[in-house]
Every structure is written in C-alpha cells, then in structure tokens.
Amino acid sequence: MGIWFAPGIKANQWPLDPHTGYPLKHSFTLRLPEGYRTDENAFAVSFFAIAVDHNDGGPEYIEGLEEALFAEQSPDEPLFKPFWQAMQTVHPSCKFAADTLDCYYATLLLSEAEFYGELCSPPTIIERHFEDDVCVPEWLVEGGRVAFGK
C-alpha cells in the first residue's frame, strides 16, 4: 500500500499525533503471513508515523495536548475537546508507541476485509486556535511524495 492513503479504515479512525493533534502519516501496510495472524482481525498491519518535518531531534508539540488526548474523560480545556473527541473514534486496534526521542507511532491490525477495502484519505484537520501552534505537516499539504524529497 502506498504512502498517504490507508486501506480499510474510515477517516475518523485515523490515528492522531498525540503531541500535535495532526494525523499521523500512513507509512505502509503489510499483509501478515498466516503464521503471524493471531485472529481474524490480524490479517494485516498498518504503520503510521510522525511527520518528518515535525521531527528534528525530537517532536514538536502543543503543551498539555498529549495528556488530554489519552485522558479517560473529556478535558476541561475547550481547545483540547475536539482532539479528545477525535481520539475516541480511532480504529479499535490502534496501539500507540513512542521512541526514545518521544516521537509517536501507531499500528493498526486490519481484518482481511479492511485490508482489501477502499483506500482512505487522511481526516480533515481539526480547527485549531493554539497560541503557539505547530505548522501543518508538509505531507498533509503536498501529499506523501514529500517523504522522497521535492
């Protein structure tokens, strides 16, 4: 599967970067060999990563957003509410992980039907009103080809 579009999910299931609230970039999806499939919902795995332009020795971030997105209840801060609400609909198999630089990644296990399903474009960017905001990742503006240079 190509960069940018993700197979078999809906836009509201796309994982967000917990530091910025922007969609993580779909990097690849792999069909798993039969011996690696743990159940019928593990036919393939999709990998999502931080935007390259948001990682120069560590992630850019919005102060407090990460904690708000992973909170059990909707945050008190009104600016964080739409991001928290979006995280409630992320694909049910989504697992987030952070590397040693604290950059986030996400994986989704897909069923066979999802793997062969329609390709999905990233979700619409949630309206933002942060005082010290992070710029929109280039791949959301110019497409996935920016990963290969301009």
Side-chain angles (χ1 to χ4, degrees), residues 22-95:
Y22 289 115
L24 287 171
K25 184 173 161 195
H26 175 251
S27 298
F28 58 83
T29 297
L30 299 173
R31 185 173 55 93
L32 297 171
E34 284 190 36
Y36 290 88
R37 298 178 193 161
T38 56
D39 61 44
E40 69 274 356
N41 292 317
F43 184 82
V45 62
S46 285
F47 181 80
F48 295 78
I50 184 173
V52 173
D53 49 319
H54 282 189
N55 178 13
D56 186 13
E60 295 187 24
Y61 64 94
I62 302 297
E63 184 95 26
L65 184 61
E66 175 185 15
E67 295 79 18
L69 291 184
F70 289 128
E72 294 289 323
Q73 297 182 353
S74 180
D76 293 332
E77 171 56 61
L79 294 176
F80 295 160
K81 285 182 185 291
F83 297 91
W84 181 85
Q85 290 167 339
M87 285 288 273
Q88 304 316 298
T89 63
V90 168
H91 192 277
S93 73
C94 184
K95 301 288 186 229

Side-chain angles (χ1 to χ4, degrees), residues 106-123:
T107 59
L108 309 179
L109 287 176
L110 303 177
S111 67
E112 185 173 5
E114 288 173 321
F115 178 74
Y116 289 113
E118 290 186 34
L119 294 177
C120 175
S121 296

